[in-house]
């Protein structure tokens, strides 16, 4: 992108998002598995940062900074992450993407993210990584998430994906890898430090908490409820951010007028 201004990003975003939505299904699924794995690595890093450190504000900030590496990998590699793809609702509004293609892309990417996230969680547990306080941090984090009401999860997820999609949106203007890293770092650190709900991160955090328990008995019903409401909230947050920025820069009117 030659012009990195906010208006230029808003004008180019629908085309960029359509290109992601129209990738071949097999390629999309593989890239989604990778994204789920990368975010799971971020979850692991965050838990390592929390291990034996208490729950103070500084620890939360450190945990958020560690987790941000996961989204950095997603953006640099060009993987398919569901939470970022919630912004695909923007080209639906402009008429550049059909609702059917959007629904299919969201479903494939969400499932691929789940596969990648759970795979890393299982491998990390099998490697013995849940020792030395990491497992206790995983249990505490997972229990805290499952204790939230559906309304709290939904509201938290809106905020979380507003920040995540802001990081993705800003990285669209980045011309270098260091610039992408800088764009991602701040918003992601904030959302993790604030304890907000990110559906794809939860796909690894919840299994890690269950696997770390002395007698693992996964509460699958509560986990599914958390993923449902965090997914719905993430959709609202991401879509609202993309449409709001595009409307603010008049990109929606210009896109519609060009048809």
């Amino acid at each position: 992108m030659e012009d990195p201004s906010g208006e230029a990003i808003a004008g180019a975003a629908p085309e960029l998002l359509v290109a992601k939505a129209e990738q071949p299904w097999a390629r999309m699924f593989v890239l989604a598995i990778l994204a789920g794995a990368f975010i799971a690595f971020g979850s692991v890093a965050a838990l390592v940062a929390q291990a034996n450190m208490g729950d103070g504000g500084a620890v939360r900030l450190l945990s958020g900074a560690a987790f941000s590496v996961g989204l950095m990998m997603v953006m640099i590699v060009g993987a398919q992450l569901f939470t970022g793809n919630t912004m695909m609702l923007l080209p639906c509004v402009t008429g550049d993407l059909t609702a059917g293609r959007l629904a299919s892309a969201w479903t494939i990417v969400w499932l691929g993210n789940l596969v990648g996230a759970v795979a890393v969680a299982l491998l990390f547990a099998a490697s013995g990584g849940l020792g030395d306080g990491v497992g206790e941090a995983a249990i505490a984090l997972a229990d805290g998430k499952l204790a939230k009401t559906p309304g709290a999860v939904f509201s938290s997820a809106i905020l979380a994906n507003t920040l995540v999609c802001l990081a993705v949106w800003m990285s669209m203007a980045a011309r270098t890898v260091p610039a992408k890293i800088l764009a991602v770092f701040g918003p992601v650190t904030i959302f993790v430090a604030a304890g907000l709900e990110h559906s794809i991160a939860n796909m690894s955090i919840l299994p890690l908490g269950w696997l770390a328990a002395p007698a693992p008995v996964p509460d699958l019903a509560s986990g599914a409820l958390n993923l449902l409401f965090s997914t719905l909230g993430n959709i609202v947050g991401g879509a609202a951010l993309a449409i709001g920025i595009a409307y603010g820069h008049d990109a929606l009117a210009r896109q519609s007028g060009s048809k």
Side-chain angles (χ1 to χ4, degrees):
M1 185 182 299
E2 293 299 323
D3 181 1
S5 68
E7 185 174 355
I9 301 169
E15 183 178 347
L16 294 172
L17 291 166
V18 167
K20 290 195 73 176
E22 292 185 343
Q23 286 183 343
W25 297 130
R27 181 186 304 169
M28 184 181 292
F29 188 66
V30 170
L31 289 173
I33 292 173
L34 291 174
F38 295 157
I39 294 299
F41 285 132
S43 298
V44 167
L47 292 172
V48 170
Q50 293 175 28
N52 301 313
M53 292 290 286
D55 193 36
V59 174
R60 291 188 177 200
L61 286 171
L62 178 62
S63 178
F67 179 87
S68 70
V69 176
L71 186 59
M72 291 173 193
M73 291 189 287
V74 170
M75 297 307 301
I76 293 167
V77 170
Q80 288 268 9
L81 183 64
F82 172 80
T83 45
N85 286 4
T86 58
M87 293 192 292
M88 288 176 180
L89 198 59
L90 172 59
C92 257
V93 170
T94 63
D96 294 306
L97 184 67
T98 66
R101 184 75 187 192
L102 172 68
S104 297
W106 276 357
T107 300
I108 288 171
V109 172
W110 193 94
L111 292 173
N113 288 167
L114 179 64
V115 171
V118 172
V120 168
L122 292 172
L123 288 170
F124 185 69
S127 74
L130 291 173
D132 196 26
V134 177
E136 287 78 1
I139 293 170
L141 186 57
D143 286 349
K145 290 181 176 297
L146 295 179
K148 293 181 181 180
T149 65
V153 173
F154 180 74
S155 300
S156 179
I158 292 173
L159 296 174
N161 211 33
T162 299
L163 287 165
V164 170
C165 287
L166 180 61
V168 173
W169 189 277
M170 292 191 301
S171 72
M172 291 180 185
R175 300 177 181 178
T176 65
V177 169
K180 285 186 180 291
I181 290 172
L182 186 60
V184 166
F185 180 79
V188 174
T189 298
I190 292 170
F191 111 70
V192 176
L196 303 177
E197 298 292 324
H198 185 275
S199 57
I200 311 306
N202 290 359
M203 290 176 179
S204 55
I205 291 169
L206 296 180
L208 286 168
W210 292 330
L211 291 165
V217 182
D219 187 352
L220 296 178
S222 295
L225 195 66
N226 175 279
L227 289 183
L228 171 63
F229 282 94
S230 60
T231 296
L232 293 174
N234 287 165
I235 291 171
V236 172
L241 178 82
I243 293 171
I245 294 176
Y247 179 80
H249 285 292
D250 205 29
L252 287 178
R254 285 186 279 113
Q255 196 82 6
S256 299
S258 66
K259 294 188 173 14

